[in-house]
Amino acid sequence: MDDFGDWYREQYPRFVTTLAASIGSRDDAIEAAGDAFEKALEQWDRVGRMENPTGWTYRVALNGARRRGRRRSAERSLGAHLAVTPAGDRDSLGELMQWVSPLPLRMRQVVLLRHVADLTEPAIASVLDITRGTVSSTLRDAYTRLAATIEAEEQQQ
């Protein structure tokens, strides 16, 4: 396949429909498809020569959708534990600061920008001048650390 544009126009509608049926949400499918097609375009010299570039793109989209699902679950869990609102009332903000203060600076910044400033991952990436993937992995690592800390504290009680 030589031309990304032709391939994209041909594949995208069916791709989103199939992905939505697979993951259960059309909005999530559109987001995952956009990310996957963006990666395909970035690597088109290699992906376009593959026997099945659409299959590779599905795998990228499904992996991305799974990561987002795990991250949302962790966010809900953390949010329920901390009861942080986007407006960030002072009590919740103080509690959040206690939890995130031991984290490394970048993790702390990303968590606060996500949960206090209520910024999206692309916006956080822009603010910190890092990639969206770095934001995503930093959030995941921060949630893992915070979950372990919360679990350890609950076991002590």
Side-chain angles (χ1 to χ4, degrees):
M1 178 93 20
D2 292 329
D3 183 48
F4 176 84
D6 290 343
W7 173 76
Y8 173 83
R9 282 186 290 282
E10 178 183 316
Q11 296 298 320
Y12 185 80
R14 182 176 46 216
F15 189 96
V16 170
T17 300
T18 304
L19 196 57
S22 175
I23 63 177
S25 165
R26 183 156 180 84
D27 290 339
D28 289 345
I30 290 169
E31 183 178 356
D35 291 345
F37 276 98
E38 179 180 349
K39 287 180 182 175
L41 176 60
E42 289 170 356
Q43 301 177 37
W44 189 245
D45 288 344
R46 181 176 64 85
V47 173
R49 291 192 311 268
M50 292 179 175
E51 184 176 322
N52 186 359
T54 304
W56 179 90
T57 308
Y58 272 117
R59 185 178 45 204
V60 170
L62 288 170
N63 288 342
R66 275 193 293 275
R67 277 191 303 277
R68 274 189 288 284
R70 286 191 300 267
R71 186 172 48 252
R72 282 188 194 124
S73 177
E75 286 175 355
R76 280 192 300 272
S77 175
L78 180 63
H81 184 78
L82 297 177
V84 174
T85 62
D89 67 51
R90 290 195 187 275
D91 292 338
S92 294
L93 184 57
E95 185 178 3
L96 178 61
M97 288 305 298
Q98 287 178 337
W99 285 106
V100 301
S101 63
L103 295 175
L105 177 62
R106 177 169 288 165
M107 281 186 187
R108 198 167 52 245
Q109 290 171 330
V110 169
V111 168
L112 292 172
L113 288 170
R114 178 71 187 101
H115 293 282
V116 177
D118 200 30
L119 296 181
T120 63
E121 286 185 13
I124 295 168
S126 177
V127 167
L128 297 178
D129 196 27
I130 57 178
T131 67
R132 181 176 179 203
T134 299
V135 172
S136 178
S137 64
T138 302
L139 277 171
R140 182 186 64 243
D141 293 346
Y143 295 151
T144 299
R145 285 188 185 200
L146 290 169
T149 302
I150 291 167
E151 184 177 320
E153 185 172 293
E154 287 175 350
Q155 288 178 356
Q156 290 177 359
Q157 294 178 355

